[in-house]
Amino acid sequence: MSEAVNASIGADSVIDALVEVGYRYQSDCGPAIIGPRARLRRGAIIYGDVRAGADLSVGHFALVREHTRIGDQVTIGTQVVIEGHVVIGSLVKIESQAFLPTHAIIGSRVFIGPGAALTNDRYPLRRRAEYDPVGPVLEDDVSLGARCVLLPGVRIGQGSMVAAGAVVTKDVPPWHLVAGVPGRASPL
C-alpha cells in the first residue's frame, strides 16, 4: 500500500506499493506536490513541502526531505538521500547511493555519479553556533564521477567534470576537469 494523504500527484503517474509521498515531518507541514508522469518506486519516501516538476523518476528506497525543489525530467536513483532545503534544476540524473546535504544547489543538465558525497558541514558537531552549514553549488552542465567527494561550499563551474574518487576542496572554474586527492583542476 502507498500513502499520499499529504500530497498532490500529477496525472499519469505510477506509484509502487510501499511509497510514502507527503511524509509529515511536523504537524503543520505543507503537502508534497509532484508533477505529471512521475514514476515512484517501492520504498521511496518524499516529505511534505517538496515540489517536483514533470517526469520525476525516483528509485527504490530513495529519500527526499522537506523544502526540496526539483525541476522537470529528474531521475533520483536507488538509495539516494537528499537531506532537504535543496534546489535541483531540470534534466538532472542522480545515480544510486549519492548523498546531497541541506543547502546544496544543483543546476540543470547535471549528472551525479553513484555514491557521490556532497557535504555541507566543515566542522561536524563542533562550533555549530558559529556558522551555518553551506552545501556545494553545481552550475549547469556539470558531471560528477562515482564516489567523488565535494567539501562544503565549493562551487563547480559550468561544464566542469569531477573524476571518480576525486576530493574537491576548493572552487572549480567553468569547463575544467578535477581529478585526484586533493583534486587538482585543469582546463578541458
Side-chain angles (χ1 to χ4, degrees), residues 166-169 178-184:
V167 177
V168 182
T169 61
V178 177
V181 179
R184 300 218 188 278

Side-chain angles (χ1 to χ4, degrees), residues 61-128:
F61 304 103
L63 173 66
V64 181
R65 290 196 50 186
E66 72 274 7
H67 299 290
T68 295
R69 302 292 176 261
I70 302 170
D72 296 328
Q73 298 181 14
V74 172
T75 299
I76 298 171
T78 296
Q79 295 179 338
V80 166
V81 175
I82 300 173
E83 281 290 336
H85 300 271
V86 172
V87 176
I88 300 170
S90 294
L91 299 165
V92 172
K93 185 167 188 181
I94 304 169
E95 290 282 350
S96 296
Q97 298 180 339
F99 176 80
L100 280 64
T102 62
H103 305 98
I105 299 173
I106 311 301
S108 292
R109 298 172 307 280
V110 169
F111 174 84
I112 299 176
L118 286 62
T119 64
N120 69 353
D121 198 342
R122 197 167 290 279
Y123 308 102
L125 301 177
R126 306 259 193 270
R127 299 174 18 189
R128 181 57 66 87

